Amino acid sequence: MIKGNGRPVYEGVAIGRIYVLSKDHTIVNTKCADIEKELVRFNEAKDEARRELDALYEKTLREIGEEQAGIIEVQSMFLDDLDFIEGIEDMIKGGSDAAFSVHEIGDAQASAFAALDDEYMKARATDIRDISDRLVRILTGADQGFRMDQPGIVVAEDLTPSETVALDKDKILAFVIRQGSSNSHTAILARVMNIPSLVLTDIDIDQALNGRTMIVDGFAGNYYIDPDDETMAKMLEKKKGAGEYKAELEKYRGLESVTRKGRHISLFANIGSPDDIKYVLDGDAEGIGLLRSEFLYLGRDDFPTEDELFNAYKSVVEAMKGKKVVIRTLDIGADKKVEYFHLAPEENPALGYRGIRICLTQHDIFRTQLRAIYRASAYGKVAIMFPMIISVKEVREIKTFCASVVDELEKEGIKTSPVELGIMIETPAAAIISDLLAKEVDFFSVGTNDLTQYTLAIDRQNEKLDSFYDAHHEAILRSLALIASNAHKEGIWAGICGELGGDLSLTDEFLRMGYDELSVAPSRILELRKKVIESEV
Ligand code: PEP
Ligand code: MG
């Protein structure tokens, strides 16, 4: 038996077989025996890449707009770039196989572009990487996807949000990740999915672990590989206890979330996709307080169409049967990277081109998403909120933009319903001017994950800083009090949708501050309702 530990991000006990998610896409240089044949293979791969890019160009032009399509065109141009192509051909002539040659030259040229001062040239590094990845995929025929044929525990070095959403959620019993931070989006997803998971573990990632049995104890932060009988018996007992506690919480299902003194608070759920509705219903949420809609953009090769987005939103709104659904517009950027957005590499992505900054500068993307949300509004009770706000000017620009979308839909004879417009308060700037922002919107929802990151100057992704990331810091608590008070002065409602909202040690404090809504991982609702019902506030 091997025993190890890590930082738990969700309680519970999971037992299952291990699936190692390896990201070792090392391309080996298998010397090619027939150079002429390898050159032909490379030329055929180029033709195939061109065909793929032409189709993607047409689709992007049709569905997104000229600006984005232009980026695809730039990638196609690299297929004719002499430095790139001749560099690869020279390597093949020297006896290297085509995939390895593409990978090496692509890597060298991308690094050279990334080192340039000019921002435009810097951004070309991503294009080169994209085009060489495409060529390597065509040449190797490799589907580097990860599959689970039965439920199991995913063991990985690290998991980005894009990789996480691409996994088959129904089969994941737990994550055990060597790196990761407890504030990362992967940890947040684990909480939405109710799976006991560990980050920052001491596990040695090794393919030989595949298929072996593992126990994850999300209470103590331990994992056991090939557990002995005694450990298995102890953990089965613990799992049973967790099940009994969960069953006990069932008596809070369907009750009103009201304190002993009669103070009511709405308990909503945070989700990332329509698939998560099952957790919302199972958790007995009174609404959805944060639909992280950027997850609809992750784990795919190009932009979702307006109809795809509309269908996703509509399914969530209909499933909630008239209960409120707060849809956050896409918060791409920082750790949530999407290749087809072609975002240039940044020194400080968390302080960079992300969230509303993308929407306010790439109107086609914003319009498509807003049209889809407004169309879905006809099927239930929808509210929209905008991430990463820092100024009144942004909010006014957003409101004008939304009004133009509603107008456009009306002219097309498409039905919409009234929609509340709110903002996330997740930057210190927004917290400090929350008195001014409150005059502009229908509600506030505090994103304590980012508010903590930006207020304390602590990168929430950096696992080395986990012990410094203190969401209970007095600066955060004072900001929270200020935000609720400024909201109420203007007669609007205020909620918390960051992870702190589910922290039971602060529930009384949030009630005293006057918060109207807490939006948390669906599995936290019943426990939180118990806390509210027992509260003296
Ligand atoms: C937050 O920042 O608290 C938040 C809810 O948004 P996200 O975690 O998706 O950045
Ligand atoms: Mg945030």
Side-chain angles (χ1 to χ4, degrees):
M1 176 173 90
I2 302 170
K3 180 181 175 194
N5 56 60
R7 191 165 301 213
V9 297
Y10 187 74
E11 309 82 13
V13 174
I15 304 172
R17 58 159 290 173
I18 296 178
Y19 284 88
V20 177
L21 192 154
S22 165
K23 285 192 251 180
D24 184 12
H25 297 331
T26 317
I27 295 155
V28 207
N29 186 9
T30 31
K31 290 273 170 205
C32 68
D34 187 338
I35 290 176
E36 279 315 309
K37 216 162 129 195
E38 202 62 2
L39 284 168
V40 170
R41 239 169 51 79
F42 172 56
N43 271 308
E44 285 171 358
K46 254 175 32 182
D47 292 344
E48 175 58 22
R50 203 183 305 277
R51 273 192 294 277
E52 286 184 9
L53 286 170
D54 284 350
L56 193 56
Y57 174 85
E58 288 303 327
K59 188 171 187 317
T60 312
L61 187 65
R62 214 172 39 243
E63 291 168 5
I64 313 291
E66 221 165 300
E67 199 181 324
Q68 291 295 324
I71 293 165
I72 311 287
E73 212 170 15
V74 171
Q75 286 197 15
S76 283
M77 278 156 54
F78 277 112
L79 292 172
D80 297 315
D81 182 278
L82 284 187
D83 271 354
F84 182 58
I85 299 302
E86 286 181 359
I88 296 166
E89 287 177 344
D90 284 348
M91 269 191 80
I92 299 176
K93 286 175 192 159
S96 293
D97 76 274
F100 182 73
S101 308
V102 170
H103 182 261
E104 290 296 292
I105 297 293
D107 216 35
Q109 294 203 358
S111 308
F113 272 105
L116 298 175
D117 282 337
D118 182 282
E119 285 304 318
Y120 178 81
M121 297 309 273
K122 241 191 211 320
R124 301 287 69 79
T126 319
D127 295 325
I128 296 244
R129 288 225 156 83
D130 258 14
I131 191 74
S132 32
D133 284 354
R134 186 178 294 276
L135 285 166
V136 168
R137 177 180 48 75
I138 295 167
L139 281 161
T140 56
D143 174 6
Q144 292 170 345
F146 165 83
R147 297 208 198 307
M148 298 174 75
D149 45 19
Q150 49 176 292
I153 296 169
V154 175
V155 170
E157 179 66 27
D158 194 12
L159 271 181
T160 65
S162 304
E163 289 161 341
T164 315
V165 295
L167 297 172
D168 184 352
K169 284 193 205 168
D170 290 337
K171 296 214 171 77
I172 304 173
L173 302 175
F175 291 120
V176 174
I177 300 171
R178 222 178 68 77
Q179 301 182 23
S181 121
S182 27
N183 310 299
S184 68
H185 281 96
T186 301
I188 289 172
L189 282 174
R191 287 193 275 269
V192 169
M193 292 158 67
N194 314 337
I195 53 173
S197 292
L198 310 180
V199 295
L200 261 188
T201 57
D202 52 6
I203 195 162
D204 276 329
I205 310 287
D206 182 345
Q207 287 298 335
L209 292 177
N210 267 312
R212 288 163 71 178
T213 301
M214 182 183 243
I215 301 177
V216 179
D217 177 355
F219 294 102
N222 295 327
Y223 66 84
Y224 305 88
I225 300 169
D226 303 330
D228 55 32
D229 292 348
E230 193 191 333
T231 309
M232 182 60 97
K234 221 166 86 190
M235 287 298 130
L236 280 170
E237 198 53 36
K238 206 164 186 175
K239 193 168 173 2
K240 194 165 149 236
E244 282 164 6
Y245 176 63
K246 200 165 171 259
E248 215 173 279
L249 289 175
E250 279 302 307
K251 64 173 183 253
Y252 295 93
R253 185 174 293 279
L255 297 189
E256 209 191 335
S257 304
V258 60
T259 66
R260 291 203 167 134
K261 298 229 170 98
R263 231 197 85 65
H264 180 270
I265 188 159
S266 303
L267 302 184
F268 282 17
N270 294 344
I271 60 166
S273 81
D275 292 346
D276 296 335
I277 279 291
K278 54 180 179 290
Y279 307 119
V280 175
L281 301 177
D282 187 47
D284 197 32
E286 296 156 30
I288 291 172
L290 168 61
L291 168 55
R292 285 185 165 91
S293 74
E294 61 276 7
F295 283 100
L296 299 171
Y297 293 73
L298 302 189
R300 41 184 300 147
D301 294 332
D302 70 54
F303 290 93
T305 62
E306 180 184 317
D307 277 347
E308 278 178 274
L309 291 171
F310 163 68
N311 286 324
Y313 299 136
K314 179 170 170 266
S315 68
V316 173
V317 170
E318 283 184 331
M320 291 309 287
K321 298 192 167 77
K323 289 180 181 163
K324 191 182 286 182
V325 178
V326 181
I327 302 174
R328 171 171 81 184
T329 56
L330 60 94
D331 191 15
I332 291 292
D335 62 321
K336 287 172 281 195
K337 300 239 168 19
V338 184
E339 289 284 316
Y340 58 84
F341 271 70
H342 301 287
L343 301 177
E346 293 178 304
E347 291 267 333
N348 293 303
L351 304 180
Y353 187 52
R354 61 171 290 192
I356 200 67
R357 298 167 190 173
I358 296 181
C359 292
L360 287 178
T361 48
Q362 301 202 46
H363 285 178
D364 291 343
I365 298 176
F366 201 24
R367 177 171 293 105
T368 304
Q369 182 174 31
L370 286 173
R371 280 181 59 97
I373 300 176
Y374 273 108
R375 281 171 61 191
S377 72
Y379 297 84
K381 196 167 175 189
V382 170
I384 310 179
M385 74 175 168
F386 304 92
M388 292 300 294
I389 294 296
I390 56 167
S391 71
V392 168
K393 180 173 164 282
E394 283 170 344
V395 176
R396 291 194 179 146
E397 211 176 311
I398 291 166
K399 287 197 299 185
T400 308
F401 200 85
C402 286
S404 77
V405 169
V406 174
D407 208 38
E408 189 178 283
L409 290 170
E410 227 164 64
K411 285 200 182 100
E412 291 169 30
I414 297 173
K415 240 177 71 198
T416 62
S417 294
V419 164
E420 279 186 321
L421 294 183
I423 54 173
M424 292 198 63
I425 304 284
E426 53 182 348
T427 64
I432 293 166
I433 61 162
S434 49
D435 54 335
L436 305 178
L437 292 168
K439 297 183 200 302
E440 302 288 333
V441 293
D442 299 316
F443 67 94
F444 284 162
S445 187
V446 189
T448 50
N449 310 333
D450 278 319
L451 187 61
T452 307
Q453 150 163 273
Y454 296 125
T455 303
L456 306 185
I458 302 263
D459 177 359
R460 65 192 263 197
Q461 293 296 121
N462 186 339
E463 63 271 14
K464 289 195 196 80
L465 300 177
D466 257 15
S467 60
F468 292 92
Y469 184 97
D470 174 16
H472 288 215
H473 192 290
E474 187 57 27
I476 306 301
L477 298 179
R478 285 191 201 180
S479 294
L480 279 161
L482 176 74
I483 294 162
S485 145
N486 281 335
H488 294 148
K489 275 185 202 149
E490 292 300 329
I492 65 168
W493 65 267
I496 299 175
C497 64
E499 296 297 287
L500 201 63
D503 185 331
L504 299 180
S505 70
L506 288 174
T507 311
D508 281 350
E509 191 67 25
F510 296 150
L511 286 162
R512 271 192 287 272
M513 288 178 189
Y515 275 94
D516 306 283
E517 177 241 36
L518 296 173
S519 191
V520 300
S523 56
R524 293 263 186 253
I525 304 267
L526 289 179
E527 212 176 7
L528 193 51
R529 184 172 295 140
K530 172 177 189 290
K531 180 83 192 171
V532 169
I533 287 175
E534 289 170 358
S535 171
E536 299 288 350
V537 176

